[in-house]
Amino acid sequence: MKRRKLPQVFRMAAALLLTTAIAGQWWQRQPAGTIAGWVPAMAEVHCPAAVRGAGTIADSARTLDRWGYAVIGSLVFRDDRDRCQAGENSRRG
């Protein structure tokens, strides 16, 4: 059985996927600029437990992720614990 090359569209898609993965890793380590100030400030008002630091785009994205996880966790797990409160109430015990 003779091996055939993959169709051109699959080769182009693989190259594009690899390129975007490399570019995404570079982009997330860049300084966040103006987003570095307002994302943590907004999250701190609504969910102080989500804020742990800022400075890069990835830090701002992680802050939004922690905020979302805290809100979803408070909705799903009905154990009368507010996961958005900073301090003793937000720690698992």
Side-chain angles (χ1 to χ4, degrees):
M1 183 183 207
K2 188 176 182 181
R3 291 191 68 150
R4 295 171 51 189
K5 286 185 178 179
L6 285 173
Q8 186 72 17
V9 68
F10 292 124
R11 289 186 278 171
M12 288 175 53
L16 182 63
L17 183 62
L18 180 64
T19 303
T20 56
I22 292 169
Q25 292 296 313
W26 168 82
W27 178 76
Q28 283 200 348
R29 287 176 177 76
Q30 298 305 304
T34 59
I35 198 172
W38 68 265
V39 168
M42 178 182 61
E44 189 171 18
V45 168
H46 295 285
C47 188
V51 180
R52 290 195 190 130
T56 63
I57 294 170
D59 292 335
S60 296
R62 286 186 195 106
T63 298
L64 291 175
D65 288 344
R66 281 192 295 268
W67 183 7
Y69 293 146
V71 169
I72 290 170
S74 293
L75 291 173
V76 171
F77 301 108
R78 305 235 176 212
D79 55 0
D80 295 330
R81 203 171 79 207
D82 188 8
R83 286 165 175 75
C84 275
Q85 288 298 326
E88 295 298 318
N89 293 340
S90 64
R91 293 194 185 128
R92 290 185 181 242

